Structures are given as C-alpha cells and as structure tokens.
Amino acid sequence: MLKPGATIGILGGGQLARMLALAAAPLGFRCHVFSPEKDSCAFDVVHAGTCAAYEDEAALSRFAGSVDVITYEFENVPAKTAAFLARRKPVLPDPKVLETTQDRLIEKNFISGLKIATASYAPVHSAMQLADAVKTVGLPAVLKTRQLGYDGKGQAKITKSGDSIAAWRSLHNAPCILEGFIDFEREVSVVAARGRDGKVECFEVTENEHRDHILKISRVPAKVTPLLAREARQIATRIAKAFDYIGVLAVEMFVVRKGQRRTLLVNEIAPRVHNSGHWTIDGATVSQFEQHIRAVAVTSAATARTSARSRARLGRKQTLALHLLARELAGPADRFRLFPRLLFRWFFVMPAELHLAENALALHFLLQRLQGLVDVVIANENLHACSFVIDPRVTVKAPKTGALSRAALAEKALRVHSGNPSTSGSVRNTEF
C-alpha cells in the first residue's frame, strides 16, 4: 500500500491517463506520465511528465527512479518497455498480461484454456494455412492481424463467395488469426477491478453499440437476464484471477441466441480502463478510474454499485430536446466535464434534481437527434442521469413542426423545477 504523496507512473498520455490522474489526486497520490506524444492531454493534469520514446532506456530509467509504482493506460504499450521498467519498479498489471493480450492468437488460446467460449478460430501464417483455416472455421469469417489493430483496423471480412487470399494480401500477409463470423444479438462488456488482496469487484454489465467498429453508445444496465449478467461477471472474474491481475480490465463479449437460449462468447480482453466504463464516473459509487488507482496503490478495490441517482426513474414522456438539454446543463449547479479525445468533446451529465415535464419531446426522439453527434451515450428508459459526449463543432437543426411550442413548454417546466440557470459560454461553438 502506497503512502499519501507517493507517485504513480502512467505509461501513455491520452484521455484514459488523464482521467486516471484526476482520480488519483483525491486519494492523495501524484502522477508522472510517460508518453512519446508531446501534445498528450494527460500532461496538463499531472505532477510531472516525460516526453520520450518507449524505446529510450535512459528516459525510462529516470522515469522509474521518480515513481513508486507504474501502470499503463492502454494495451499497445510495448511489452518490452513494461518488462524493462518492471526490473526497476512494480508494474501493474503485470507485463506478462500485455504479452498475452497484444497477440490475438495467444489471447484466444488463453481464454479457451480457461474453458470459456469464444468464436471458432485458427492461426494463419501462410496461404496454405489460410486454406486449412477456412475449412476449419468456415465462412463467413473475419481475418485479423495477430498484433496491433484496433477500432476495426487490421481486419478483413471474408464472405462465403469472397477471396480469402485477397483478404490476407490486404493485411500485407501478416501473421493472422481467422475467426468465425458471429451473428450476435448484442455486444456487452464487464469492467472489473481486482486488488492486491485478490478481491474482484465488477460493475454492472454494459451493452455496447459500435458504428464503423468504434464504440458509439453504451447502455447500463444491459438488456440481458439476471442469470446471463451473473455469468458475464463470473467470466470477467475468472479471467482476472487467472491472470493474477491487479487493476481494472474489461472483457468484451457477444450475446448469441440459440433458439430460446442465450449464451456468451468472449471477443477480447482490454487490460485497462475501458471506454464502455466511462459511465461509472458519475453513474456509480466509484469510477473505474478510482478503482484502478485503488487496486494498484491502495490494496483493494472499493465496492462498486450503480448510484441511486442513476437508478431514479425517468418517465417515458419526460425528456428534453437536445438544444434545451445543452442549455440547461450549462447551469452552475449542474455537472460539466471536458472530455479530451483527439478532438475536444463536451461531456454533459444530467443532474439528479432536474425534473423533466411530460410535455417535452419523447426520449427516443432525443436519442435519434443525438445519433451522429454523440460519441458516447449512457442512457436507459429507467435512468434519470444520462451522459453525453458531444462534438461542439457539429451543427444540429431543431425540427420545424411544433418544435417551438413543445420546447417552450419543456423550458418552462425546467425553470419551475430547477430554477433559471444561466447559459454558459461552453456551448457557444455549437449551433442548436
């Protein structure tokens, strides 16, 4: 257990490192970020920063000498870098986890070795092996590079009538893994934390929707049965224990329907805090970022529960048009969060005390208006607290028919319940 004032080293300086550092400060810890990118957004909020290549051993040695424990924000930190640092200071999670999760074939073998179901798969290192893999796995299938590649990169789908050799050539004949194509009902994930004491805490199962291979919408709780949700948490727990993992990880899974029965297939493991866990910042009793800091620095993770505010019921007709939402959320009493991710996006959170009138636009209409504008939506018909990540440069046109009268009614109701908050300049760049 680290003492207050100790320094946590973080490899990587993106949005996840930034939020880890912000979570560490209230617990009394300082952070030192190591990143090769000079414009890394985490540099703005940490006690110290080092901008150097991951292969720069002199810089790595100085970094290790200035911190008490080291962690990482994403799984593509070179495993050799983590191993080099581990010979000097504790690195959590263990660098061996990176060696496993950075190679899709090794990762699949690890999961299968735990008797946990995955899509059918086979290695591909040559044209002959590709032909054998197609016979074993069948078509359609997805050919993926064994290393690197994310958000759909390093992948090629092979249809039943497709050219498998052309697909492999499109990936530059790199070592690959062929995975059977899964006709899933929904995608879900479990974010779990395991502390040094071996205790595992799982957040609620999250349902995720991807567009163009990038996470767009996360819904909590996922629309799965309690039995399936429990199984998903058990799978994440088994994986964390098998790794002897310390920190936060996410396990992504497919829900597959077979007749009236639904089963889970593990897609991949993310050995880090995860985008599908951002809702925990304001929607749970402890965020995934605080959980990670607690796990690597304090000994044990905290008990994770969805907050009471997030469980408050939102009536089906109680909602608000997007332009009013942004305006009302700019009040001084509301929660506001700047969410840096390559481009700046605004992160709004609906306050617990905000009551919406039945005259406002329907919830489904609000979510429809957000499509294409929002990077992450955390919402549910039973949730009062909703989180939105909004690109402020996007222009949204309000609907013409009846919009003014309904919006006026909604605005009036909001002022009755939450006062008359002033409009903040933080949303001036967006035309509503």
Side-chain angles (χ1 to χ4, degrees), residues 337-364:
R337 191 178 304 278
L338 186 62
F339 188 87
R341 181 188 179 189
L342 300 180
L343 301 174
F344 283 104
R345 287 164 167 78
W346 304 110
F347 191 41
F348 295 104
V349 179
M350 190 180 298
E353 64 273 14
L354 187 62
H355 300 283
L356 304 178
E358 291 189 358
N359 306 73
L361 299 178
L363 178 59
H364 72 273

mmCIF file of all heavy atoms in Angstrom, residues 337-364:
data_model
loop_
_atom_site.group_PDB
_atom_site.id
_atom_site.type_symbol
_atom_site.label_atom_id
_atom_site.label_comp_id
_atom_site.label_asym_id
_atom_site.label_seq_id
_atom_site.Cartn_x
_atom_site.Cartn_y
_atom_site.Cartn_z
ATOM 1 N N ARG A 337 -18.200 18.332 -17.710
ATOM 2 C CA ARG A 337 -16.901 17.669 -17.804
ATOM 3 C C ARG A 337 -16.331 17.835 -19.211
ATOM 4 O O ARG A 337 -17.005 17.603 -20.201
ATOM 5 C CB ARG A 337 -17.062 16.175 -17.494
ATOM 6 C CG ARG A 337 -15.749 15.460 -17.318
ATOM 7 C CD ARG A 337 -15.991 14.003 -16.960
ATOM 8 N NE ARG A 337 -16.821 13.883 -15.782
ATOM 9 C CZ ARG A 337 -16.369 13.988 -14.540
ATOM 10 N NH1 ARG A 337 -15.110 14.235 -14.333
ATOM 11 N NH2 ARG A 337 -17.191 13.852 -13.513
ATOM 12 N N LEU A 338 -15.098 18.259 -19.273
ATOM 13 C CA LEU A 338 -14.403 18.347 -20.560
ATOM 14 C C LEU A 338 -13.769 16.997 -20.831
ATOM 15 O O LEU A 338 -13.049 16.463 -19.996
ATOM 16 C CB LEU A 338 -13.330 19.432 -20.511
ATOM 17 C CG LEU A 338 -12.613 19.726 -21.822
ATOM 18 C CD1 LEU A 338 -13.595 20.236 -22.848
ATOM 19 C CD2 LEU A 338 -11.530 20.771 -21.587
ATOM 20 N N PHE A 339 -14.033 16.442 -22.003
ATOM 21 C CA PHE A 339 -13.644 15.069 -22.315
ATOM 22 C C PHE A 339 -12.700 15.095 -23.501
ATOM 23 O O PHE A 339 -13.142 15.080 -24.646
ATOM 24 C CB PHE A 339 -14.912 14.277 -22.631
ATOM 25 C CG PHE A 339 -14.692 12.801 -22.793
ATOM 26 C CD1 PHE A 339 -14.727 11.956 -21.698
ATOM 27 C CD2 PHE A 339 -14.492 12.247 -24.042
ATOM 28 C CE1 PHE A 339 -14.552 10.600 -21.853
ATOM 29 C CE2 PHE A 339 -14.319 10.886 -24.206
ATOM 30 C CZ PHE A 339 -14.350 10.068 -23.101
ATOM 31 N N PRO A 340 -11.370 15.188 -23.277
ATOM 32 C CA PRO A 340 -10.444 15.273 -24.408
ATOM 33 C C PRO A 340 -10.197 13.911 -25.037
ATOM 34 O O PRO A 340 -9.882 12.961 -24.355
ATOM 35 C CB PRO A 340 -9.166 15.810 -23.765
ATOM 36 C CG PRO A 340 -9.243 15.325 -22.367
ATOM 37 C CD PRO A 340 -10.701 15.241 -21.998
ATOM 38 N N ARG A 341 -10.354 13.817 -26.325
ATOM 39 C CA ARG A 341 -10.080 12.573 -27.040
ATOM 40 C C ARG A 341 -9.756 12.913 -28.486
ATOM 41 O O ARG A 341 -10.634 12.993 -29.318
ATOM 42 C CB ARG A 341 -11.281 11.643 -26.971
ATOM 43 C CG ARG A 341 -11.017 10.319 -27.680
ATOM 44 C CD ARG A 341 -12.280 9.506 -27.761
ATOM 45 N NE ARG A 341 -12.017 8.263 -28.458
ATOM 46 C CZ ARG A 341 -12.959 7.429 -28.838
ATOM 47 N NH1 ARG A 341 -14.214 7.702 -28.580
ATOM 48 N NH2 ARG A 341 -12.652 6.325 -29.462
ATOM 49 N N LEU A 342 -8.497 13.117 -28.755
ATOM 50 C CA LEU A 342 -8.027 13.549 -30.072
ATOM 51 C C LEU A 342 -8.592 14.930 -30.391
ATOM 52 O O LEU A 342 -7.874 15.894 -30.516
ATOM 53 C CB LEU A 342 -8.400 12.532 -31.160
ATOM 54 C CG LEU A 342 -7.820 11.128 -30.960
ATOM 55 C CD1 LEU A 342 -8.248 10.204 -32.103
ATOM 56 C CD2 LEU A 342 -6.313 11.146 -30.884
ATOM 57 N N LEU A 343 -9.907 15.019 -30.555
ATOM 58 C CA LEU A 343 -10.594 16.295 -30.692
ATOM 59 C C LEU A 343 -11.323 16.539 -29.378
ATOM 60 O O LEU A 343 -11.688 15.615 -28.669
ATOM 61 C CB LEU A 343 -11.611 16.245 -31.842
ATOM 62 C CG LEU A 343 -11.025 15.927 -33.216
ATOM 63 C CD1 LEU A 343 -12.145 15.761 -34.224
ATOM 64 C CD2 LEU A 343 -10.079 17.033 -33.666
ATOM 65 N N PHE A 344 -11.570 17.784 -29.040
ATOM 66 C CA PHE A 344 -12.286 18.061 -27.804
ATOM 67 C C PHE A 344 -13.770 17.791 -27.986
ATOM 68 O O PHE A 344 -14.358 18.098 -28.997
ATOM 69 C CB PHE A 344 -12.077 19.517 -27.373
ATOM 70 C CG PHE A 344 -10.745 19.761 -26.757
ATOM 71 C CD1 PHE A 344 -9.743 20.393 -27.469
ATOM 72 C CD2 PHE A 344 -10.467 19.339 -25.475
ATOM 73 C CE1 PHE A 344 -8.498 20.605 -26.918
ATOM 74 C CE2 PHE A 344 -9.226 19.553 -24.910
ATOM 75 C CZ PHE A 344 -8.234 20.189 -25.634
ATOM 76 N N ARG A 345 -14.365 17.202 -26.955
ATOM 77 C CA ARG A 345 -15.793 16.961 -26.943
ATOM 78 C C ARG A 345 -16.301 17.368 -25.584
ATOM 79 O O ARG A 345 -15.579 17.333 -24.590
ATOM 80 C CB ARG A 345 -16.111 15.483 -27.206
ATOM 81 C CG ARG A 345 -15.875 15.087 -28.673
ATOM 82 C CD ARG A 345 -15.826 13.588 -28.812
ATOM 83 N NE ARG A 345 -15.918 13.171 -30.194
ATOM 84 C CZ ARG A 345 -14.926 13.205 -31.056
ATOM 85 N NH1 ARG A 345 -13.759 13.656 -30.701
ATOM 86 N NH2 ARG A 345 -15.092 12.788 -32.294
ATOM 87 N N TRP A 346 -17.545 17.750 -25.533
ATOM 88 C CA TRP A 346 -18.119 18.172 -24.266
ATOM 89 C C TRP A 346 -18.857 17.010 -23.623
ATOM 90 O O TRP A 346 -19.534 16.244 -24.279
ATOM 91 C CB TRP A 346 -19.082 19.340 -24.476
ATOM 92 C CG TRP A 346 -18.452 20.491 -25.168
ATOM 93 C CD1 TRP A 346 -18.705 20.931 -26.430
ATOM 94 C CD2 TRP A 346 -17.424 21.334 -24.660
ATOM 95 N NE1 TRP A 346 -17.901 21.985 -26.753
ATOM 96 C CE2 TRP A 346 -17.109 22.259 -25.676
ATOM 97 C CE3 TRP A 346 -16.733 21.395 -23.450
ATOM 98 C CZ2 TRP A 346 -16.145 23.244 -25.509
ATOM 99 C CZ3 TRP A 346 -15.772 22.378 -23.292
ATOM 100 C CH2 TRP A 346 -15.491 23.285 -24.313
ATOM 101 N N PHE A 347 -18.713 16.904 -22.319
ATOM 102 C CA PHE A 347 -19.303 15.796 -21.578
ATOM 103 C C PHE A 347 -20.334 16.374 -20.608
ATOM 104 O O PHE A 347 -19.984 17.024 -19.640
ATOM 105 C CB PHE A 347 -18.195 15.066 -20.812
ATOM 106 C CG PHE A 347 -18.608 13.756 -20.202
ATOM 107 C CD1 PHE A 347 -19.428 12.885 -20.886
ATOM 108 C CD2 PHE A 347 -18.136 13.382 -18.962
ATOM 109 C CE1 PHE A 347 -19.769 11.669 -20.348
ATOM 110 C CE2 PHE A 347 -18.479 12.173 -18.404
ATOM 111 C CZ PHE A 347 -19.298 11.312 -19.101
ATOM 112 N N PHE A 348 -21.611 16.193 -20.899
ATOM 113 C CA PHE A 348 -22.672 16.716 -20.064
ATOM 114 C C PHE A 348 -23.288 15.608 -19.231
ATOM 115 O O PHE A 348 -23.466 14.492 -19.702
ATOM 116 C CB PHE A 348 -23.786 17.327 -20.924
ATOM 117 C CG PHE A 348 -23.359 18.531 -21.708
ATOM 118 C CD1 PHE A 348 -23.119 18.447 -23.062
ATOM 119 C CD2 PHE A 348 -23.181 19.749 -21.076
ATOM 120 C CE1 PHE A 348 -22.726 19.551 -23.789
ATOM 121 C CE2 PHE A 348 -22.782 20.856 -21.800
ATOM 122 C CZ PHE A 348 -22.551 20.768 -23.157
ATOM 123 N N VAL A 349 -23.652 15.911 -18.018
ATOM 124 C CA VAL A 349 -24.337 14.944 -17.177
ATOM 125 C C VAL A 349 -25.584 15.589 -16.602
ATOM 126 O O VAL A 349 -25.533 16.652 -15.997
ATOM 127 C CB VAL A 349 -23.439 14.455 -16.025
ATOM 128 C CG1 VAL A 349 -24.194 13.471 -15.149
ATOM 129 C CG2 VAL A 349 -22.190 13.800 -16.579
ATOM 130 N N MET A 350 -26.732 14.960 -16.811
ATOM 131 C CA MET A 350 -27.987 15.475 -16.305
ATOM 132 C C MET A 350 -28.001 15.366 -14.787
ATOM 133 O O MET A 350 -27.771 14.298 -14.233
ATOM 134 C CB MET A 350 -29.164 14.673 -16.881
ATOM 135 C CG MET A 350 -30.522 15.280 -16.597
ATOM 136 S SD MET A 350 -31.815 14.260 -17.329
ATOM 137 C CE MET A 350 -31.394 14.386 -19.057
ATOM 138 N N PRO A 351 -28.242 16.464 -14.065
ATOM 139 C CA PRO A 351 -28.220 16.419 -12.605
ATOM 140 C C PRO A 351 -29.410 15.681 -12.033
ATOM 141 O O PRO A 351 -30.466 15.603 -12.645
ATOM 142 C CB PRO A 351 -28.254 17.904 -12.213
ATOM 143 C CG PRO A 351 -28.958 18.562 -13.353
ATOM 144 C CD PRO A 351 -28.528 17.802 -14.590
ATOM 145 N N ALA A 352 -29.235 15.151 -10.833
ATOM 146 C CA ALA A 352 -30.288 14.354 -10.216
ATOM 147 C C ALA A 352 -31.534 15.173 -9.948
ATOM 148 O O ALA A 352 -32.653 14.669 -10.014
ATOM 149 C CB ALA A 352 -29.774 13.761 -8.915
ATOM 150 N N GLU A 353 -31.349 16.483 -9.639
ATOM 151 C CA GLU A 353 -32.500 17.282 -9.241
ATOM 152 C C GLU A 353 -33.303 17.823 -10.427
ATOM 153 O O GLU A 353 -34.295 18.509 -10.255
ATOM 154 C CB GLU A 353 -32.042 18.461 -8.366
ATOM 155 C CG GLU A 353 -31.141 19.454 -9.079
ATOM 156 C CD GLU A 353 -29.678 19.051 -9.002
ATOM 157 O OE1 GLU A 353 -29.413 17.888 -8.634
ATOM 158 O OE2 GLU A 353 -28.815 19.876 -9.318
ATOM 159 N N LEU A 354 -32.849 17.530 -11.641
ATOM 160 C CA LEU A 354 -33.523 18.057 -12.817
ATOM 161 C C LEU A 354 -34.738 17.197 -13.156
ATOM 162 O O LEU A 354 -34.613 16.044 -13.517
ATOM 163 C CB LEU A 354 -32.547 18.064 -14.007
ATOM 164 C CG LEU A 354 -33.050 18.736 -15.283
ATOM 165 C CD1 LEU A 354 -33.338 20.199 -15.053
ATOM 166 C CD2 LEU A 354 -32.016 18.585 -16.383
ATOM 167 N N HIS A 355 -35.945 17.751 -13.032
ATOM 168 C CA HIS A 355 -37.172 17.026 -13.336
ATOM 169 C C HIS A 355 -37.703 17.498 -14.684
ATOM 170 O O HIS A 355 -37.811 18.687 -14.944
ATOM 171 C CB HIS A 355 -38.217 17.273 -12.241
ATOM 172 C CG HIS A 355 -37.770 16.842 -10.893
ATOM 173 N ND1 HIS A 355 -37.744 15.520 -10.504
ATOM 174 C CD2 HIS A 355 -37.291 17.559 -9.853
ATOM 175 C CE1 HIS A 355 -37.289 15.439 -9.262
ATOM 176 N NE2 HIS A 355 -36.997 16.660 -8.850
ATOM 177 N N LEU A 356 -38.051 16.572 -15.535
ATOM 178 C CA LEU A 356 -38.491 16.915 -16.878
ATOM 179 C C LEU A 356 -40.002 16.780 -17.004
ATOM 180 O O LEU A 356 -40.612 15.894 -16.410
ATOM 181 C CB LEU A 356 -37.794 15.987 -17.893
ATOM 182 C CG LEU A 356 -36.271 16.003 -17.815
ATOM 183 C CD1 LEU A 356 -35.689 15.036 -18.818
ATOM 184 C CD2 LEU A 356 -35.755 17.394 -18.065
ATOM 185 N N ALA A 357 -40.591 17.662 -17.782
ATOM 186 C CA ALA A 357 -42.045 17.696 -17.898
ATOM 187 C C ALA A 357 -42.552 16.687 -18.912
ATOM 188 O O ALA A 357 -41.845 16.292 -19.841
ATOM 189 C CB ALA A 357 -42.503 19.092 -18.310
ATOM 190 N N GLU A 358 -43.793 16.254 -18.748
ATOM 191 C CA GLU A 358 -44.387 15.303 -19.680
ATOM 192 C C GLU A 358 -44.618 15.949 -21.043
ATOM 193 O O GLU A 358 -44.842 15.269 -22.027
ATOM 194 C CB GLU A 358 -45.711 14.783 -19.121
ATOM 195 C CG GLU A 358 -45.519 13.891 -17.922
ATOM 196 C CD GLU A 358 -46.796 13.211 -17.503
ATOM 197 O OE1 GLU A 358 -47.845 13.465 -18.134
ATOM 198 O OE2 GLU A 358 -46.738 12.419 -16.559
ATOM 199 N N ASN A 359 -44.571 17.274 -21.110
ATOM 200 C CA ASN A 359 -44.787 17.971 -22.379
ATOM 201 C C ASN A 359 -43.546 17.960 -23.263
ATOM 202 O O ASN A 359 -43.606 18.337 -24.428
ATOM 203 C CB ASN A 359 -45.169 19.437 -22.114
ATOM 204 C CG ASN A 359 -46.340 19.579 -21.178
ATOM 205 O OD1 ASN A 359 -46.186 19.350 -19.984
ATOM 206 N ND2 ASN A 359 -47.503 19.926 -21.690
ATOM 207 N N ALA A 360 -42.413 17.536 -22.718
ATOM 208 C CA ALA A 360 -41.178 17.564 -23.502
ATOM 209 C C ALA A 360 -41.175 16.462 -24.556
ATOM 210 O O ALA A 360 -42.002 15.557 -24.546
ATOM 211 C CB ALA A 360 -39.978 17.410 -22.575
ATOM 212 N N LEU A 361 -40.203 16.543 -25.459
ATOM 213 C CA LEU A 361 -40.112 15.573 -26.548
ATOM 214 C C LEU A 361 -39.823 14.181 -26.003
ATOM 215 O O LEU A 361 -39.181 14.031 -24.964
ATOM 216 C CB LEU A 361 -39.012 15.992 -27.517
ATOM 217 C CG LEU A 361 -39.213 17.350 -28.194
ATOM 218 C CD1 LEU A 361 -38.007 17.643 -29.086
ATOM 219 C CD2 LEU A 361 -40.477 17.374 -29.018
ATOM 220 N N ALA A 362 -40.219 13.152 -26.720
ATOM 221 C CA ALA A 362 -40.053 11.770 -26.259
ATOM 222 C C ALA A 362 -38.577 11.404 -26.206
ATOM 223 O O ALA A 362 -37.749 11.920 -26.951
ATOM 224 C CB ALA A 362 -40.785 10.821 -27.202
ATOM 225 N N LEU A 363 -38.248 10.490 -25.298
ATOM 226 C CA LEU A 363 -36.856 10.091 -25.111
ATOM 227 C C LEU A 363 -36.259 9.510 -26.392
ATOM 228 O O LEU A 363 -35.120 9.792 -26.747
ATOM 229 C CB LEU A 363 -36.764 9.060 -23.981
ATOM 230 C CG LEU A 363 -35.373 8.501 -23.693
ATOM 231 C CD1 LEU A 363 -34.414 9.622 -23.315
ATOM 232 C CD2 LEU A 363 -35.432 7.467 -22.591
ATOM 233 N N HIS A 364 -37.023 8.716 -27.096
ATOM 234 C CA HIS A 364 -36.467 8.116 -28.314
ATOM 235 C C HIS A 364 -36.121 9.185 -29.346
ATOM 236 O O HIS A 364 -35.169 9.052 -30.099
ATOM 237 C CB HIS A 364 -37.457 7.096 -28.907
ATOM 238 C CG HIS A 364 -38.667 7.693 -29.544
ATOM 239 N ND1 HIS A 364 -39.807 7.999 -28.835
ATOM 240 C CD2 HIS A 364 -38.913 8.068 -30.822
ATOM 241 C CE1 HIS A 364 -40.705 8.517 -29.654
ATOM 242 N NE2 HIS A 364 -40.194 8.577 -30.849
#
